[in-house]
Amino acid sequence: MRIAVVPGDGIGKEIVPATLPALTLLNDAFGLGITYDVLDWGADRWLADGTGLPDDALDRLRTEYRAVLLGALGDPRIPDMAHGREILLGLRTGLDLYVNHRPLDLAHGTVDLYRENTQGLYSQVGGAVTGRGRVSVALDECVYTRDTVERFVRTCLRRLRAAGRRRVTLVHKANAVPHTGRLWQEVYRAELAHVPELTGSEEYVDAFCYHLVRDASAYEGVLAPNLFGDIISDIGAALMGGLGLARSASFCPESGFALFEPVHGSAPDIAGRGIANPYATAMCLSMLLDHLGHSEAAVLLRDCVLETTHTDAATPDLGGAGTTDGFMSEVTALLTERLKGERPRPKENRP
């Protein structure tokens, strides 16, 4: 039960340390036996010695750790995000974390968005022709193998069935991108036939985004290729109330290894001000606990985080006046009360 903690860049350096006391509290209360190491992967190390993902990183993670909690990556000093690509895409592909689960917690309930996480336009296949100091031709190839699509779709359909879902939608763009589109359609229809509990549908990505904004209640489970899933998750975050609320888990079902990260990025415009919302990171920690088999601790943390959003400890993006540390201090106070079996102390809830 050893995990790696990577605060990363920007607000990641604030939200991750603020969240760790809640892990310590739950670890002690439930006897979880979780230990963690804080790793310095991020912009500062990249700028200091050129290291993004250390040479032995993947081997160490496979042999010594069960999961990674990642804060954020991105720094204006590295405008091309080279270090972020090396670290994040290196972890996704190197550890074969091909399933990305991004729950969208909306007014009608949760939509389970599943994004393929290792191929597509993120395969880093392509190149550029440059001359006279500018790019004249640029190519980025969308690459999908049938094996990857099959195992992704199969895993997601089975997870949706296990979660009691009844409807699933495949998002694609087969009318304009026919080759990978056809592959996804073929695999989806074949795999769906083996899961009769689910009623399947298909939508073009542009139409789907329109319908998601107008009436998200039509959706329960959504499967999407890499780029489409990335875009949809940000739209979902906006519907939830902001990027500070969006959580994600990337995992490999075969190995059991997983990476948990908020969707919001490093937010350099507010970094260092102490007002970043730690909600998504705390909810990622809840997902991590559940992944490790500690469902009771996971539910308790989730409930306390949700309750805190309705108090004055909520951060400004949620309409409160709280700080990053203040939000998590309120969460740990609620956790302490629940663990002692005490009644919640009176609070003045915001409208």
Side-chain angles (χ1 to χ4, degrees), residues 6 13 33-34 60 73 103 106 141 143 168 233 252 271 288:
V6 183
K13 297 178 181 179
I34 295 174
R60 284 190 61 199
L73 292 170
L106 306 177
E141 301 288 349
V143 179
V168 58
S233 66
C252 175
L288 186 155

Side-chain angles (χ1 to χ4, degrees), residues 106-149:
L106 306 177
H108 76 281
T110 298
V111 176
D112 284 313
L113 169 63
Y114 285 99
R115 164 192 174 187
E116 197 289 316
N117 211 32
T118 59
Q119 294 190 350
L121 276 168
Y122 291 67
S123 299
Q124 302 189 73
V125 176
V129 177
T130 61
R132 299 179 182 179
R134 64 176 187 173
V135 176
S136 55
V137 179
L139 296 173
D140 286 293
E141 301 288 349
C142 181
V143 179
Y144 268 115
T145 63
R146 190 176 190 95
D147 286 346
T148 290
V149 178

Side-chain angles (χ1 to χ4, degrees), residues 216-240:
S217 66
Y219 304 106
E220 291 186 8
V222 177
L223 275 56
N226 207 338
L227 176 63
F228 298 159
D230 194 358
I231 295 169
I232 292 166
S233 66
D234 278 11
I235 296 174
L239 296 176
M240 290 168 61

Side-chain angles (χ1 to χ4, degrees), residues 207-225:
F208 172 83
C209 290
Y210 173 82
H211 294 143
L212 181 69
V213 172
R214 283 183 58 88
D215 182 12
S217 66
Y219 304 106
E220 291 186 8
V222 177
L223 275 56

